[in-house]
């Protein structure tokens, strides 16, 4: 295995991945024989199902993980952003978070400086270590970097910025953290940027900003994203990770579905597909056995490769090697009175002004607006878990409300495995397993909820809503952790749902299928728009809302 980082030169690609192979500890291969290249200036995206190894490839490229086989070469300077940037260490200062986003030499110097400051404050250092660390920081360009931090913070953080060396990461919203780090990366001049789900936690205006930044960025970009609008507008190449390998689509997501359909057709009949996969598994087994002969530590993985090949052969011709997840969501719903929700002068102090509205049976309503305007608070008030500071919310007769939480916050699921959670809603064991299979969760039936991936948790929570049979669904960012195929399955199910949907979302592809939109702006004003494009225009140009509403003869509520 080789991982190489070099200065920019005339190589064919800025990123080269060759026959990459990786298996998590005590597990079979996550993927193998993954090869692709990203040319200088390309803005490529890795797409594929949840748990397929997309983030793992970025972690290998950054040097965080060691692959089991294959090699990678990154040409030029490289900066990375993880999908959970700043989330795991909320007690760090903002400066510490930004140091981790710096180039390697500055990152090391910044860590030394932070440690030297702490040592001097505790009396462990007489000041000499601090002086040396400060000098090194300045010599490497630390002061210039701090100026960039200040400018980016002014652009990215809504509240007064203050001192970055004392203000804590936990004081920023998830969107502010991402926007701040992204701003720095796009203005860094780095040759290569690795971005893991850069759109997560960003509101729609900031996602539009992200698309503009990617479009004008001169760096080579490799990102992971499930945002179909972002992929359509920003990706110049797609690396499709599915099955146990990958293939490359040389265009944006706009042309991907058709390209994938054609590719599947070109794979030939079932027997030809089976023979191709059998040869690949057999060759992989031979490679692993050769490695095991050289190093006994590879014996377990060699045995696993042999077992996989033997099972494959014993089973006979299977489905195509690149098979769909076959996720089937079926939301039944039920009838209710025409007026489902009646809001009378509802307001929450410090977030939005009092407004009135009615939600009728069968409507699909999107709650939209910038981060921090109170959309999730309003959704909680509709579900009864939070009381508004002003006004009243009435429920119509025969109304049954089911709620999907943004961060899969389900204390009642903790410590319980998936099949146990489903059995609570459908006592029949066979039906429970079939339900899990429809959601692509059969292999995780005995896995505890807290150990599931974000996408798996989201699918399980939607399955519970289906089995509970509610006729009003309150959905808080339902597609945030779902892969593309799961998002499309949910959207198709909602189209046929016999009931009412109120959803908070920043996913523009998801929102485009809703009926109308309740907008909450930064000034706390709440108003309704009945057109998707108008709603997006209102978010992009909040100062132009009055003319937008006048043009469509809409009145603020």
């Amino acid at each position: 295995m080789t991982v190489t980082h070099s200065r920019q030169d005339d190589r064919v690609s800025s990123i080269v991945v060759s026959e990459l192979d990786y298996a998590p500890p005590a597990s079979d291969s996550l993927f193998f024989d993954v090869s692709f290249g990203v040319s200088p200036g390309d803005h490529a995206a890795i797409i594929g199902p949840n748990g397929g190894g997309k983030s793992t490839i970025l972690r290998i490229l950054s040097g965080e993980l060691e692959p089991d086989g294959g090699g990678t070469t990154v040409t030029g300077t490289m900066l990375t952003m993880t999908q959970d940037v700043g989330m795991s260490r909320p007690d760090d200062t903002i400066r510490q978070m930004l140091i981790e986003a710096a180039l390697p030499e500055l990152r090391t110097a910044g860590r030394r400086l932070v440690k030297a400051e702490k040592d001097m404050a505790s009396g462990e250092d007489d000041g000499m270590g601090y002086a040396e660390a400060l000098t090194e920081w300045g010599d490497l360009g630390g002061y210039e970097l701090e100026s960039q931090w200040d400018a980016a913070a002014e652009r990215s953080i809504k509240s007064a910025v203050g001192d970055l060396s004392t203000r804590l990461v936990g004081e920023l919203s998830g969107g502010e953290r991402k926007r701040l780090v992204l701003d720095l990366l796009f203005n860094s001049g780095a040759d290569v940027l690795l971005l893991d789900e850069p759109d997560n936690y960003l509101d729609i205006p900031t996602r539009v900003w992200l698309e503009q930044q990617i479009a004008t960025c001169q760096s080579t970009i490799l990102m992971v994203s499930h945002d179909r609008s972002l992929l359509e507008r920003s990706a110049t190449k797609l690396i499709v990770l599915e099955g146990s390998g990958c293939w490359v689509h040389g265009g944006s997501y706009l042309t991907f579905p058709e390209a994938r359909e054609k590719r599947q057709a070109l794979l030939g009949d079932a027997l030809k597909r089976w023979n191709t996969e059998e040869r690949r598994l057999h060759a992989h087994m031979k490679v692993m056995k050769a490695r095991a002969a050289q190093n006994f530590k590879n014996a377990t993985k060699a045995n696993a490769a042999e077992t996989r090949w033997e099972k494959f052969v014993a089973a006979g011709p299977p489905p195509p090697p690149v098979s769909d997840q076959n996720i089937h969501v079926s939301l039944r719903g039920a009838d209710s009175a025409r007026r489902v929700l009646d809001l009378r002068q509802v307001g929450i102090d410090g977030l939005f002004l009092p407004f009135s509205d009615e939600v009728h049976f069968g409507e699909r309503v999107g709650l939209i607006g910038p981060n921090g305007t109170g959309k999730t608070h309003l959704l909680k008030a509709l579900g009864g878990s939070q009381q508004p500071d002003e006004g009243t919310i009435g429920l119509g007769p025969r109304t049954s409300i089911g709620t999907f939480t943004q961060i899969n916050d389900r204390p009642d699921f903790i410590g319980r495995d998936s099949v146990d959670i489903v059995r609570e809603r459908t006592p029949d064991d066979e039906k429970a397993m079939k339900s899990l299979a429809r959601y692509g969760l059969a292999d995780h039936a005995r896995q505890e909820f807290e150990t599931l991936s974000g996408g798996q948790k989201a699918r399980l929570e939607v399955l519970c809503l289906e089995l509970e049979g509610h006729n009003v669904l309150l959905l808080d960012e339902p597609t945030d952790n779902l892969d593309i195929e799961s998002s499309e399955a949910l959207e198709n199910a909602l189209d046929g749902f016999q009931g009412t949907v109120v959803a908070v979302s920043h996913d523009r592809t998801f929102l485009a299928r809703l009926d109308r939109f309740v907008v909450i702006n930064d000034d706390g004003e709440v108003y309704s728009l009945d057109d998707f494009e108008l709603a997006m225009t209102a978010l992009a140009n909040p100062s132009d809302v009055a003319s937008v509403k006048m043009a469509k003869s809409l009145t603020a509520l």
Side-chain angles (χ1 to χ4, degrees), residues 306-368:
E306 183 175 21
T307 300
R308 188 186 306 113
W309 171 70
E310 289 174 345
K311 286 182 177 179
F312 184 93
V313 172
V322 179
S323 57
D324 295 328
Q325 295 187 74
N326 292 322
I327 295 171
H328 300 289
V329 181
S330 177
L331 298 168
R332 300 185 304 276
D335 191 17
S336 69
R338 179 177 180 276
R339 186 167 61 189
V340 175
L341 297 168
D342 185 10
L343 291 77
R344 299 292 178 93
Q345 290 301 301
V346 173
I348 296 181
D349 294 346
L351 291 175
F352 55 83
L353 301 171
F355 76 103
S356 298
D357 195 3
E358 290 183 359
V359 178
H360 297 151
F361 176 75
E363 276 196 299
R364 272 71 171 139
V365 181
L367 301 183
I368 63 174

Side-chain angles (χ1 to χ4, degrees), residues 374-432:
K375 302 182 298 296
T376 294
H377 290 275
L378 177 55
L379 204 67
K380 289 180 178 179
L382 295 177
S385 63
Q386 176 178 328
Q387 294 300 313
D389 295 309
E390 297 182 58
T392 60
I393 298 174
L395 303 181
R398 304 187 305 282
T399 296
S400 173
I401 293 178
T403 301
F404 177 95
T405 59
Q406 180 180 7
I407 55 174
N408 310 119
D409 182 17
R410 295 297 299 259
D412 54 323
F413 289 180
I414 299 299
R416 303 170 62 192
D417 58 33
S418 302
V419 70
D420 177 50
I421 293 169
V422 172
R423 274 204 203 103
E424 191 175 44
R425 292 155 176 84
T426 177
D428 184 281
D429 287 353
E430 184 178 353
K431 288 183 179 179

Side-chain angles (χ1 to χ4, degrees), residues 114-295:
V114 170
K115 183 179 185 304
E117 288 174 347
K118 292 180 179 177
D119 289 345
M120 190 169 66
S122 66
E124 296 180 33
D125 178 21
D126 60 3
M128 291 298 294
Y130 173 72
E132 292 174 2
L134 195 62
T135 299
E136 180 187 29
W137 175 251
D139 290 344
L140 291 172
Y143 296 131
E144 291 83 356
L145 183 60
E146 288 179 18
S147 296
Q148 295 175 28
W149 291 349
D150 290 336
E154 289 290 342
R155 293 188 293 265
S156 306
I157 302 174
K158 290 183 179 180
S159 56
V161 175
D163 188 351
L164 298 180
S165 65
T166 58
R167 189 169 180 185
L168 299 181
V169 171
E171 297 176 29
L172 304 183
S173 69
E176 286 177 323
R177 299 173 202 180
K178 280 248 171 135
R179 167 75 185 255
L180 175 56
V181 174
L182 285 167
D183 190 303
L184 285 168
L185 265 56
F186 286 127
N187 290 286
S188 66
D191 298 310
V192 176
L193 301 179
L194 304 181
L195 309 177
D196 195 355
E197 301 205 27
D199 48 278
N200 265 14
Y201 301 105
L202 300 186
D203 55 27
I204 292 174
T206 310
R207 292 188 188 208
V208 173
W209 168 87
L210 173 60
E211 291 168 0
Q212 295 167 345
Q213 293 298 307
I214 293 174
T216 58
C217 185
Q218 300 300 307
S219 304
T220 300
I221 296 174
L222 181 60
M223 59 184 169
V224 172
S225 176
H226 299 305
D227 186 320
R228 288 157 288 178
S229 295
L230 178 72
L231 293 170
E232 288 178 1
R233 294 170 171 85
S234 303
T236 59
K237 175 187 289 187
L238 299 178
I239 292 97
V240 187
L241 197 64
E242 54 185 2
S244 296
C246 79
W247 60 281
V248 176
H249 170 57
S252 79
Y253 188 77
L254 195 63
T255 55
F256 167 72
E258 182 181 358
R260 186 178 186 274
E261 185 177 348
K262 288 182 178 179
R263 180 179 184 274
Q264 291 288 76
L266 290 174
L267 288 175
D269 59 68
L271 180 59
K272 180 179 178 180
R273 289 194 297 267
W274 186 86
N275 287 332
T276 299
E277 183 70 355
E278 187 276 332
R279 287 193 294 270
R280 191 168 79 95
L281 290 171
H282 187 266
H284 178 64
M285 177 194 70
K286 291 292 188 184
V287 169
M288 294 306 298
K289 282 190 169 292
R291 290 179 186 168
Q294 297 174 354
N295 186 338

Side-chain angles (χ1 to χ4, degrees), residues 485-503:
E485 196 170 347
S486 300
S487 294
E488 291 174 346
L490 174 62
E491 290 161 359
N492 291 333
L494 290 176
D495 284 346
F497 173 58
Q498 298 298 309
T500 307
V501 177
V502 181

